[in-house]
C-alpha cells in the first residue's frame, strides 16, 4: 500500500481511486485559453491537470488560473528553481521537477521548504531520455534497473533536504520498459506512482500503447494516478484513460460501450451505426453498459449483461434490456430511438440511486 499524498484536495495512493490526469497544451500565459481547456478536461472526467511553466509570466499567470480552475493544477518545471518557487506561491497544487537538474542541494532545499510550508507535494519526474549518462554507460543502455535507480537517486535528493511528500513517475515511450520499471519501483518504495507511457503517439497508436503499459500495471495493483499521453486534444486522453480504468473495473460512472466485430450474419450497416451511437452517448453521465450487436445471436444472448442493447436483424432491430427483448425498432429510426431509450433508462437509474442514497 502506498502512502497518501494530497494534491489540492484530491488524494493519491493509500487505496484511493486511481486518479486521471492530463496536461494542457495551451500557452500558460494565455489564461483564458488555458482555463477553457481545463474546464473541457474537467467535464470529460479529469481529476488533475498540469501546465508548463517556462518563464515568470507563466508562473504569475497561475494565480488567475488556479483561482478559477475546478481541478488541481500542477506546475511543470524544468531547470529553474525560481520558477518552482513562484509557481508554488501563485497557487499550484503540486510541483513537478527533476530534483537532479534544478540547480543543486541549496536551491532544491529552497523549493522543498516553500512546498512544505504550503502543503504542496512534489512529483519527481524521470523519463528514459533523462537518465544520467554514467548510469546508461554502466548498464550498457537504458533499462528498468537504471531508470529505477535514477528515480530513487532523485527521491533521495529530496529526502536529504527533509522532504517526503512525494509522487514518482518514471516513464518510457516503450510499454515493456515502462512495465518493467514500475514493477521494480513498486517494490523499492511506498510513494504513490504516477503511471504512463510517455510520448505514446497519436490517438490510435498512443491509446493502444497506453492501454498495454498502463493496463498491465493497474491489473497488478501498481499505479495510483495515470496519464495517457497523446499527440492531440488532451480531452481525448481523458476518454482513453477512463476506458482503460473501466476495462479493469476501476472506474464507475459514465457509459461503457460494447459492440461486436461483425461477421457474415450481419445484415445491417453495424460499423456505421455503432459509431453513430457511441458518439452520441459517450458524454452521457449515466452508469450504464450499452451494447450494439450485429445479429440476434450476439444480441440478447451474448450481450445479456448489458443494461440496454440493440441487435440488428433484416430491415429491423431488437431493443433489449438485460437480455430481455423489449420491442422491435424500424431500421430508419433505430439510432434515434435507441439513443433516447438509453437516455430514459439512465435518468430512471439516476433517480432510483438518488432515492436509495
Amino acid at each position: 500500500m502506498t502512502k497518501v499524498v494530497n494534491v489540492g484536495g484530491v488524494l493519491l495512493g493509500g487505496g484511493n481511486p486511481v486518479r486521471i490526469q492530463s496536461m494542457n497544451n495551451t500557452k500558460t500565459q494565455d489564461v483564458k485559453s488555458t482555463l477553457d481547456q481545463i474546464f473541457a478536461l474537467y467535464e470529460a472526467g479529469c481529476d488533475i491537470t498540469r501546465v508548463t511553466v517556462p518563464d515568470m509570466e507563466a508562473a504569475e499567470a497561475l494565480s488567475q488560473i488556479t483561482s478559477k480552475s475546478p481541478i488541481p493544477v500542477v506546475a511543470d518545471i524544468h531547470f529553474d528553481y525560481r520558477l518552482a518557487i513562484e509557481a508554488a506561491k501563485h497557487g499550484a497544487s503540486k510541483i513537478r521537477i527533476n530534483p537532479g537538474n534544478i540547480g543543486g542541494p541549496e536551491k532544491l532545499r529552497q523549493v522543498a521548504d516553500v512546498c512544505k510550508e504550503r502543503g504542496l507535494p512534489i512529483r519527481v519526474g524521470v523519463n528514459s531520455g533523462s537518465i544520467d549518462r554514467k548510469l546508461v554507460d554502466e548498464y550498457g543502455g537504458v533499462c528498468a534497473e537504471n531508470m529505477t535507480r535514477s528515480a530513487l537517486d532523485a527521491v533521495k535528493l529530496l529526502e536529504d533536504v527533509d522532504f517526503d511528500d512525494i509522487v514518482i513517475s518514471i516513464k518510457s515511450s516503450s510499454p515493456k520498459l515502462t512495465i518493467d520499471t514500475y514493477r521494480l519501483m513498486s517494490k523499492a518504495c511506498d510513494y504513490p506512482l504516477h503511471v504512463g507511457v510517455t510520448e505514446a503517439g497519436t490517438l490510435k497508436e498512443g491509446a493502444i500503447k497506453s492501454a498495454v503499459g498502463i493496463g498491465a500495471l493497474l491489473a497488478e495493483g501498481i499505479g495510483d494516478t495515470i496519464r495517457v499521453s497523446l499527440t492531440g486534444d488532451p480531452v481525448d486522453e481523458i476518454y482513453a484513460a477512463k476506458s482503460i480504468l473501466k476495462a479493469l473495473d476501476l472506474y464507475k460512472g459514465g457509459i461503457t460501450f460494447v459492440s461486436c466485430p461483425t461477421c457474415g450474419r450481419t445484415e445491417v450497416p453495424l460499423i456505421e451505426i455503432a459509431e453513430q451511437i457511441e458518439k452520441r452517448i459517450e458524454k452521457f453521465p449515466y452508469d450504464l453498459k450499452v451494447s450494439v450487436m450485429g445479429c440476434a445471436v450476439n444480441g440478447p444472448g451474448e450481450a445479456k449483461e448489458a443494461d440496454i442493447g440493440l441487435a440488428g436483424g433484416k430491415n429491423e432491430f431488437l431493443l433489449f434490456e438485460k437480455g430481455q427483448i423489449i420491442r422491435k425498432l424500424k431500421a430508419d429510426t433505430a439510432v434515434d430511438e435507441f439513443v433516447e431509450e438509453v437516455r430514459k433508462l439512465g435518468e430512471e437509474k439516476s433517480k432510483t440511486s438518488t432515492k436509495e442514497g
Side-chain angles (χ1 to χ4, degrees):
M1 182 78 72
T2 55
K3 64 182 291 186
V4 177
V5 167
N6 187 335
V7 182
V10 176
L11 302 182
L12 305 184
N16 283 291
V18 177
R19 307 301 188 179
I20 298 173
Q21 298 201 31
S22 184
M23 183 171 183
N24 287 67
N25 58 13
T26 55
K27 299 291 186 185
T28 307
Q29 301 90 328
D30 184 344
V31 173
K32 182 180 184 306
S33 295
T34 301
L35 278 170
D36 286 346
Q37 191 170 76
I38 288 175
F39 274 93
L41 289 167
Y42 167 69
E43 288 167 6
C46 184
D47 297 308
I48 300 168
T49 193
R50 179 163 46 116
V51 299
T52 185
V53 182
D55 53 37
M56 282 299 175
E57 185 183 354
E60 291 166 3
L62 280 171
S63 290
Q64 296 179 66
I65 293 167
T66 58
S67 65
K68 296 176 182 175
S69 174
I71 54 178
V73 177
V74 179
D76 191 73
I77 312 293
H78 292 274
F79 308 115
D80 192 338
Y81 79 105
R82 294 169 298 179
L83 295 177
I85 290 171
E86 289 306 308
K89 290 180 177 178
H90 284 83
S93 293
K94 181 170 70 172
I95 304 295
R96 186 271 190 190
I97 59 172
N98 181 340
N101 66 21
I102 208 70
E106 181 51 38
K107 292 175 180 177
L108 181 60
R109 181 181 294 278
Q110 290 181 49
V111 174
D113 286 347
V114 170
C115 288
K116 187 186 296 186
E117 183 182 297
R118 295 169 179 269
L120 307 182
I122 291 177
R123 169 152 78 95
V124 172
V126 177
N127 289 342
S128 56
S130 63
I131 305 298
D132 186 274
R133 189 73 238 170
K134 291 178 183 178
L135 282 176
V136 175
D137 292 341
E138 181 181 337
Y139 286 82
V142 176
C143 61
E145 288 76 15
N146 59 11
M147 282 186 66
T148 303
R149 187 168 151 190
S150 180
L152 290 173
D153 287 348
V155 167
K156 189 174 186 306
L157 292 175
L158 279 174
E159 292 174 335
D160 286 346
V161 294
D162 196 29
F163 191 90
D164 64 357
D165 195 7
I166 296 169
V167 178
I168 301 173
S169 67
I170 41 171
K171 301 177 184 178
S172 167
S173 58
S174 161
K176 175 70 166 56
L177 181 55
T178 296
I179 293 166
D180 291 344
T181 305
Y182 276 101
R183 280 174 175 163
L184 287 179
M185 182 56 72
S186 70
K187 296 174 182 176
C189 72
D190 65 352
Y191 291 117
L193 298 179
H194 172 120
V195 173
V197 177
T198 192
E199 300 160 357
T202 53
L203 180 57
K204 181 180 177 181
E205 188 72 10
I208 293 170
K209 286 182 180 178
S210 297
V212 171
I214 296 171
L217 290 165
L218 292 177
E220 296 177 17
I222 299 171
D224 302 286
T225 180
I226 64 172
R227 183 200 172 187
V228 175
S229 299
L230 301 176
T231 305
D233 187 342
V235 171
D236 289 331
E237 298 183 353
I238 307 309
Y239 292 126
K242 285 162 69 173
S243 292
I244 293 169
L245 293 174
K246 284 180 181 179
L248 293 164
D249 293 330
L250 294 173
Y251 187 93
K252 300 298 180 185
I255 299 294
T256 298
F257 184 82
V258 297
S259 60
C260 71
T262 77
C263 68
R265 292 191 300 267
T266 308
E267 298 189 68
V268 296
L270 185 71
I271 297 172
E272 177 186 339
I273 290 168
E275 288 176 349
Q276 285 182 39
I277 292 173
E278 182 179 31
K279 189 170 185 178
R280 289 177 62 176
I281 68 174
E282 66 180 356
K283 294 184 180 178
F284 283 7
Y286 317 120
D287 185 7
L288 293 176
K289 186 171 184 179
V290 177
S291 173
V292 177
M293 312 301 276
C295 68
V297 173
N298 285 344
E302 290 190 19
K304 62 177 176 290
E305 292 182 1
D307 294 297
I308 187 168
L310 193 65
K314 196 166 185 178
N315 299 318
E316 64 181 15
F317 288 85
L318 297 176
L319 172 69
F320 61 92
E321 294 182 15
K322 292 292 186 181
Q324 299 299 311
I325 297 173
I326 305 301
R327 68 173 190 274
K328 294 179 180 180
L329 304 179
K330 292 181 180 179
D332 58 346
T333 60
V335 171
D336 289 339
E337 287 189 65
F338 184 66
V339 170
E340 184 56 31
E341 289 296 331
V342 172
R343 187 193 306 276
K344 284 165 56 179
L345 181 61
E347 289 177 355
E348 287 173 11
K349 286 192 71 174
S350 296
K351 289 177 183 176
T352 301
S353 298
T354 301
K355 288 179 181 177
E356 290 175 350

